[in-house]
Amino acid sequence: MAKKHEIVLIPGDGIGPEITRVSVEVIESTGVEIKWHEAYAGESALCEFGDSLPHETLAAIRKFKIALKGPLTTPVGGGYQSVNLRIRKALDLYANLRPIRKFPGIETPFDGIDIIIVRENTEDLYSGLEHIVVPGVVESLKIITERASRRIAKFAYSVAEKWGRKKVTAVHKANIMKLSDGLFLKTVREEAVKHPEIEFNELIVDNAAMQMVMNPSQFDILLTENLYGDIFSDLAAGLVGGLGLAPGANIGDEIAVFEAVHGSAPDIAGKNIANPIAITLAGALMLDWIGETEAANLIRKAIEAVLSEGKVKTRDLGGDASTTDMGRAIVQKVEELKKK
Ligand code: NAI
């Protein structure tokens, strides 16, 4: 009998509950057996339980090791600390994996975009170390360690080997931040020489940004510190049709949390118009991770088929289909593909 997986499900804030519901329906339509353990985090958890990251949620992720998470709202310029950052730090999910590729049926100026962004997830300017030096002057600390740089570089090469990728491009600003980005780059280079079969190159971040919009298909794996990776993921997502198509994962040595690259989209929350594809692709990535590759491929094929037919498109893709319409179309395709 097929193994029943136990997975934590965090619906999240804003559009989170609408899109995670679709993702779960699509995953279940593949026939993979999953027992979901629902847990709460973010603004919704703060309202309900008085804590944006309840102890029970972290305990559940530690216990079951895998979670599918909807986006979580973080107040801008004040309020509680980012719950996403707290989850990543508390569980040491040091690698942020964000595959971005062009799907058939999506109009973009470029073909052949198939990039995996591997972003260090625990330090850099996201260390949360900020203080007021004197009124009117603040300091934000950029932390880069050899340990974190080495393990993210090793992770990038393990992904390259596992998925047969040919090139790793390190993004940095070591010409200006000679110590911090210098250490990152030096460490990455040391790992790169251990993998002569995989091409290595390095680009200064501003040049990398220009190259990304002029000739994105040159990139294969992009290896970055935390902030650059965050910016490049949205940039790359924009080149393939937007955030509604970009999945991601936060991965540690034992635990992994899968999510969309996008946030809680408060501007469209509760309207049943959000695109559920990004979180559904994150679900497929999760299935890959737990060894359910066949089901993961089935989902990706179903999404590709729906997009290339072009009959069902959510608003962000230029159509007028609802979140639930898109979910239904993908489930129907999964059912059709299963019969073949
Ligand atoms: P956002 O990603 O939520 O939205 C940016 C734009 O993209 C908006 O116009 C939104 O309507 C659109 N969009 C996003 N996802 C979409 C989808 N699935 N379908 C159609 N359109 C979509 O970024 P924003 O507005 O900067 O952040 C909103 C909140 O989300 C903030 O509190 C932020 O901290 C949080 N956030 C959470 C993340 C996470 O949980 N991993 C990641 C990024 C932001």
Side-chain angles (χ1 to χ4, degrees), residues 69 71-74 84 243 259 261-268 275:
K69 183 187 79 60
L72 305 175
T73 296
T74 305
N84 291 312
L243 285 169
E259 63 180 357
V261 170
H262 64 70
S264 55
D267 51 333
I268 55 167
N275 187 345

Side-chain angles (χ1 to χ4, degrees), residues 42-83:
E43 207 172 36
S44 42
L46 186 66
C47 296
E48 188 121 343
F49 309 104
D51 185 354
S52 56
L53 183 55
H55 165 75
E56 292 76 13
T57 298
L58 275 183
I61 306 176
R62 282 201 177 98
K63 180 170 176 196
F64 297 110
K65 313 266 187 259
I66 303 284
L68 182 63
K69 183 187 79 60
L72 305 175
T73 296
T74 305
V76 175
Y80 58 85
Q81 198 200 356
S82 160
V83 181

